[in-house]
Amino acid sequence: MSWLKVTVEFILSITQLETFSPFLGLDGSQKPLTPPIHDDVLPTIPDIFSSSIVCTYPELEANGWEFCNTKDSRDCWIRNPHESQPEFTQFDVKTDYEKSYPKGVTREYWIEIDGNDHLALDGYPKHLGKYINGTYPGPTLEACWGDQLVIHVTNRRKDNGTTIHWHGIRQLGSNEMDGVNGVTQCPIAPGDTFTYNFTAQQYGHTWYHSHYSTQYPDGVAAPLIIHGPSSQDWDIDPGPVMLTDWVHETAFLAFESEMRGTPPPSDSILVNGKGHYNGSGSYYTTQFTPGKKHLLRLINGGVGTSFVFSIDDHNMTVIANDLVAVEPFNVTSLMVGIGQRYTVIVEAKEQETGDCWMRTLPATGCSAFPNAQPDDRTGIVRYNISSTALPQTHNGTRNTTCNDVDTSLLNPIVPWCVDLHPQNNITEDTFYAGLQNNVDTALGPDEFPYAHWFVGSQPMWLDFAKPTILHVKESLKNPNYTVVPEDYSQGFIYLIIDASHFVQVTHPIHLHGSDFVVLAQDTNPWNETTSPRLFNFQNPPRRDTAMLPAGGFLAMAFKPDNPGAWLLHCHIAWHASSGLALQILVRPNSIGHHTGNLNETRRVCKDWVHSDLYAVTSQNQDDSGI
Ligand SMILES: *[C@@H]1O[C@H](CO)[C@@H](O)[C@H](O)[C@H]1NC(C)=O
Ligand SMILES: *[C@@H]1O[C@H](CO)[C@@H](O)[C@H](O)[C@H]1NC(C)=O
Ligand SMILES: *[C@@H]1O[C@H](CO)[C@@H](O)[C@H](O)[C@H]1NC(C)=O
Ligand SMILES: *[C@@H]1O[C@H](CO)[C@@H](O)[C@H](O)[C@H]1NC(C)=O
Ligand SMILES: *[C@@H]1O[C@H](CO)[C@@H](O)[C@H](O)[C@H]1NC(C)=O
Ligand SMILES: *[C@@H]1O[C@H](CO)[C@@H](O)[C@H](O)[C@H]1NC(C)=O
Ligand SMILES: *[C@@H]1O[C@H](CO)[C@@H](O)[C@H](O)[C@H]1NC(C)=O
Ligand SMILES: *[C@@H]1O[C@H](CO)[C@@H](O)[C@H](O)[C@H]1NC(C)=O
Ligand SMILES: *[C@@H]1O[C@H](CO)[C@@H](O)[C@H](O)[C@H]1NC(C)=O
Ligand SMILES: *[C@@H]1O[C@H](CO)[C@@H](O)[C@H](O)[C@H]1NC(C)=O
Ligand SMILES: *[C@@H]1O[C@H](CO)[C@@H](O)[C@H](O)[C@H]1NC(C)=O
Ligand SMILES: *[C@@H]1O[C@H](CO)[C@@H](O)[C@H](O)[C@H]1NC(C)=O
Ligand SMILES: [Cu+2]
């Protein structure tokens, strides 16, 4: 047997093990964390994702419950076979996870925000890159549906504070764990540690990233997987596929260009931290097993670019948007806005054929590459694992528009029945998104002309050291905090975000603390008389990030059932930092009583105001803070 053949068989056997099976958990074994493999170390071996955890539900299992999730029954999760009608009591993809979920175990992780000037992700070393545990993306964290996540975040940088936001996680009753400086906490001071502690009530995949000014564009971002059921069967999970546009200059400097009215250009595209620049770099490479269904967990963790994702000669079946399982539907390409995620199943060809390109094309009008369209060949799907040749495939038909897929396709498995009448007054909660140019305001350094994005009455401008949840009354009075109180305890709140006053740009709008339904997403300006006729109440799309069409509006509805201060913002990093953000204050009077224990929050604030950075950042504030 040749050396090559041994290697190939070894890799195939690893790949087969990757089929995620919670059955492995019943013996209570737990595999150690394995670091991601980088192909700059091992040039021909694909990036093998190997799940590092095993799901277990001690209380349920003690009562005779058993996992029912196999590769032929991915819709089921765990059930009690001793019940006469187990399908009525099991936890599965139809379970309303906002009402009930299986109680899992506590998973504890330690991560550090640091630097690594040797990282040259696209062949070009980034100066002052900021990373989680020295890598980009940072370590993929994993949990199972219903687990408690305890994550200790230590700031090892001297030049910045930090926070970590768990994008799309509901944080029901744990607003103080949302990780937004100036809103739910103070920045974590250099050397200090904040312990995040929350329940994974949803399942699917998302990402976690810094919310400290423009720190995530410098590299503080990573995937987060919460294992649970799926709306369609699949065989192999090759892991997260994180798409990013990458800026070589430190984002804190690049942002000055935004304020002068020119969006900072990005230099390259990375897929799972690999890309090309000026002829050097590497490709993210994954392996397809013929005839098997592969689960790709797409994430746009970008800075200024929304991507159209596709794989040559393969279609994709979408089974989840953000953290919401949807009825499966087929596409040839998929627009993934910044902050959005999709779970797709890609069926490999029956026979081993040639290798294929994985493409990430900046969507028309949503690109941070103003001069030349970058090469969209950004990853390789290998059938032939030992090949080192570049694929020879061509792209198929793609819809390159920067819009979410047709809303009629995004049908959540668990529908929300939205009240036809909102609790709030829509006229008062219609917010215009736009750009303030050279306006005479106290915001920002005034030595040069500057531009600030905003939504509502003015750009957001937070004080890192005065998080809203510790200063509710003060925040309500401070226009810089752009607070929108929603003091309701039932029904639905409708929000209208209108971009008609500044028509060129599409904004990916992200809400913290709750998913929202997309009532309407239109390219025409909001008209209070005629636009509501477009509202869709028949199982509308539900997610945590949706596109606000250029020149049009986004009408969203959510339930005011999670007291707290929740950010609503554009996920173009430059826009959020320049002020395109609101704080939705759900039941302001309950904050601090019905949210968790704030002792950790107060301790971290005290450490921040006693740090050397406190004085520096409060004197030189040049952005919103988020
Ligand atoms: C991150 O790095 C720290 C320090 O080396 C280590 O203790 C920790 O386990 C790492 N975390 C993960 C999730 O890999
Ligand atoms: C963050 O660090 C960068 C250098 O890495 C520095 O330029 C910037 O001023 C710092 N900003 C804040 C707000 O700490
Ligand atoms: C995390 O929160 C849970 C539930 O509130 C609590 O029981 C547990 O003690 C907390 N763990 C840590 C490490 O704070
Ligand atoms: C690109 O690479 C060429 C050849 O190595 C080098 O001469 C040139 O300066 C590089 N350009 C940039 C923008 O880095
Ligand atoms: C992908 O779907 C299109 C129809 O939308 C079909 O024409 C095409 O043959 C499919 N391609 C593959 C590889 O299945
Ligand atoms: C998607 O395409 C696959 C493969 O062509 C097909 O078997 C399946 O029925 C399609 N699903 C839907 C929802 O159209
Ligand atoms: C390749 O993609 C482009 C859009 O970027 C499209 O115009 C073209 O038609 C595609 N090629 C084929 C063969 O479909
Ligand atoms: C592209 O997608 C958008 C948004 O879903 C849709 O409105 C448009 O009709 C599509 N264009 C084509 C050519 O399919
Ligand atoms: C809603 O708010 C607008 C603007 O403040 C006001 O004119 C209108 O009367 C309010 N409508 C209701 C039903 O209170
Ligand atoms: C709002 O921010 C500006 C700019 O930093 C500052 O001058 C002003 O005092 C702030 N207003 C309040 C009420 O804090
Ligand atoms: C909204 O539409 C109505 C009916 O077509 C029209 O009369 C009204 O002028 C429109 N309002 C605005 C602000 O355009
Ligand atoms: C929070 O801090 C207060 C005052 O220091 C203390 O009395 C209380 O026991 C602490 N609560 C918890 C849950 O640690
Ligand atoms: Cu924006």
Side-chain angles (χ1 to χ4, degrees):
M1 198 185 279
S2 73
W3 173 87
L4 194 63
K5 187 143 180 277
V6 174
T7 313
V8 170
E9 281 175 5
F10 174 62
I11 291 165
L12 284 175
S13 67
I14 297 181
T15 311
Q16 271 136 23
L17 277 177
E18 275 162 46
T19 308
F20 175 74
S21 166
F23 279 111
L24 291 173
L26 296 174
D27 66 357
S29 68
Q30 198 151 326
K31 283 184 275 167
L33 287 177
T34 39
I37 297 169
H38 290 280
D39 75 2
D40 21 86
V41 185
L42 300 164
T44 62
I45 298 178
D47 309 69
I48 303 290
F49 167 80
S50 166
S51 179
S52 63
I53 65 162
V54 164
C55 295
T56 176
Y57 297 91
E59 281 175 31
L60 292 174
E61 288 168 39
N63 286 309
W65 287 61
E66 290 172 9
F67 282 97
C68 49
N69 187 275
T70 69
K71 70 183 184 50
D72 304 314
S73 62
R74 295 282 183 199
D75 58 326
C76 198
W77 191 242
I78 188 166
R79 65 155 52 145
N80 186 351
H82 312 296
E83 292 271 351
S84 54
Q85 298 286 345
E87 59 273 29
F88 294 150
T89 52
Q90 69 196 17
F91 290 99
D92 61 22
V93 75
K94 294 202 173 88
T95 302
D96 184 349
Y97 49 88
E98 296 203 333
K99 296 207 178 88
S100 66
Y101 55 89
K103 190 172 178 298
V105 295
T106 297
R107 311 244 173 215
E108 199 167 10
Y109 292 102
W110 287 261
I111 56 170
E112 306 191 342
I113 313 309
D114 53 17
N116 182 349
D117 278 350
H118 302 295
L119 269 195
L121 300 167
D122 54 7
Y124 185 98
K126 178 175 167 130
H127 182 51
L128 291 172
K130 298 162 183 70
Y131 306 104
I132 304 167
N133 277 20
T135 63
Y136 187 85
T140 294
L141 298 184
E142 289 179 87
C144 303
W145 185 19
D147 282 350
Q148 190 73 15
L149 269 160
V150 173
I151 303 151
H152 309 275
V153 178
T154 300
N155 182 10
R156 295 267 179 239
R157 293 201 68 90
K158 292 194 168 64
D159 54 358
N160 277 184
T162 195
T163 66
I164 293 289
H165 168 62
W166 317 92
H167 184 110
I169 298 289
R170 181 157 158 71
Q171 302 291 7
L172 182 67
S174 52
N175 184 219
E176 74 284 4
M177 297 299 167
D178 199 41
V180 186
N181 39 225
V183 177
T184 64
Q185 68 172 95
C186 293
I188 306 167
D192 202 9
T193 300
F194 186 105
T195 297
Y196 293 91
N197 181 2
F198 55 89
T199 310
Q201 219 172 309
Q202 303 136 288
Y203 56 85
H205 75 276
T206 182
W207 59 310
Y208 62 101
H209 62 81
S210 170
H211 236 302
Y212 183 84
S213 293
T214 52
Q215 196 175 61
Y216 96 73
D218 269 351
V220 183
L224 170 61
I225 297 177
I226 303 166
H227 296 283
S230 308
S231 62
Q232 188 166 297
D233 294 339
W234 47 270
D235 302 307
I236 296 171
D237 178 358
V241 179
M242 192 150 137
L243 322 173
T244 327
D245 52 340
W246 190 242
V247 183
H248 289 154
E249 188 174 35
T250 168
F252 290 88
L253 283 179
F255 179 64
E256 284 184 9
S257 168
E258 177 73 35
M259 287 197 298
R260 289 167 205 259
T262 311
S266 295
D267 295 297
S268 64
I269 298 172
L270 305 180
V271 177
N272 279 354
K274 291 180 183 178
H276 281 81
Y277 178 73
N278 194 22
S280 59
S282 59
Y283 292 105
Y284 165 68
T285 304
T286 193
Q287 185 195 357
F288 273 13
T289 305
K292 298 288 184 196
K293 295 190 179 87
H294 298 78
L295 186 80
L296 300 189
R297 302 171 180 275
L298 306 178
I299 303 165
N300 185 334
V303 179
T305 301
S306 290
F307 292 106
V308 175
F309 180 85
S310 62
I311 300 175
D312 292 354
D313 301 335
H314 293 75
N315 290 337
M316 303 178 275
T317 306
V318 179
I319 61 162
N321 65 204
D322 300 345
L323 288 168
V324 178
V326 299
E327 303 283 355
F329 64 95
N330 288 342
V331 293
T332 55
S333 67
L334 194 58
M335 206 293 294
V336 191
I338 303 172
Q340 292 184 327
R341 288 89 61 217
Y342 284 101
T343 310
V344 301
I345 294 172
V346 186
E347 199 169 341
K349 300 191 179 307
E350 288 296 336
Q351 257 85 50
E352 186 173 306
T353 58
D355 300 337
C356 300
W357 287 115
M358 197 181 257
R359 295 182 193 259
T360 48
L361 180 75
T364 307
C366 289
S367 168
F369 299 88
N371 303 320
Q373 186 73 284
D375 196 335
D376 62 356
R377 295 172 298 176
T378 48
I380 300 175
V381 170
R382 289 230 185 267
Y383 281 84
N384 181 357
I385 203 71
S386 56
S387 168
T388 55
L390 294 180
Q392 298 299 315
T393 53
H394 300 282
N395 74 269
T397 315
R398 289 179 292 184
N399 185 335
T400 62
T401 58
C402 188
N403 292 330
D404 284 331
V405 293
D406 202 286
T407 51
S408 67
L409 291 171
L410 297 175
N411 299 301
I413 302 284
V414 178
W416 270 11
C417 189
V418 180
D419 288 358
L420 299 178
H421 300 284
Q423 301 290 311
N424 60 325
N425 180 330
I426 308 189
T427 311
E428 287 174 357
D429 287 340
T430 299
F431 303 99
Y432 290 89
L435 187 62
Q436 264 185 6
N437 267 311
N438 300 312
V439 178
D440 183 26
T441 104
L443 298 185
D446 35 33
E447 313 86 70
F448 53 80
Y450 60 90
H452 276 281
W453 285 96
F454 67 99
V455 55
S457 50
Q458 68 159 87
M460 173 178 276
W461 202 256
L462 298 169
D463 183 342
F464 277 154
K466 286 201 171 159
T468 305
I469 63 170
L470 294 182
H471 306 269
V472 176
K473 287 206 180 88
E474 227 177 295
S475 306
L476 279 162
K477 282 186 254 158
N478 187 344
N480 292 348
Y481 270 56
T482 59
V483 167
V484 178
E486 299 290 1
D487 198 5
Y488 305 96
S489 51
Q490 55 183 2
F492 284 82
I493 305 298
Y494 294 5
L495 301 177
I496 314 297
I497 316 291
D498 177 294
S500 64
H501 292 190
F502 193 85
V503 300
Q504 290 92 330
V505 184
T506 302
H507 304 275
I509 300 294
H510 173 49
L511 176 66
H512 292 204
S514 174
D515 285 341
F516 58 85
V517 304
V518 177
L519 291 173
Q521 214 171 11
D522 199 53
T523 49
N524 298 301
W526 168 251
N527 178 314
E528 205 170 67
T529 314
T530 57
S531 300
R533 290 174 208 154
L534 301 172
F535 286 5
N536 170 22
F537 294 98
Q538 297 295 317
N539 195 11
R542 180 170 82 252
R543 59 191 318 169
D544 56 58
T545 311
M547 304 308 280
L548 164 59
F553 71 89
L554 172 68
M556 48 208 279
F558 70 97
K559 292 184 265 192
D561 60 356
N562 192 8
W566 304 109
L567 215 55
L568 177 149
H569 66 98
C570 175
H571 225 299
I572 295 176
W574 316 122
H575 294 186
S577 270
S578 100
L580 207 168
L582 298 173
Q583 294 187 58
I584 310 295
L585 223 60
V586 176
R587 291 190 237 165
N589 299 326
S590 296
I591 296 175
H593 309 292
H594 296 274
T595 51
N597 165 23
L598 296 176
N599 283 13
E600 174 79 344
T601 311
R602 290 199 180 90
R603 179 188 64 77
V604 165
C605 272
K606 210 166 133 218
D607 291 350
W608 173 252
V609 298
H610 287 118
S611 75
D612 296 341
L613 272 181
Y614 170 63
V616 180
T617 58
S618 42
Q619 278 155 28
N620 303 319
Q621 184 173 354
D622 66 357
D623 80 349
S624 65
I626 58 161

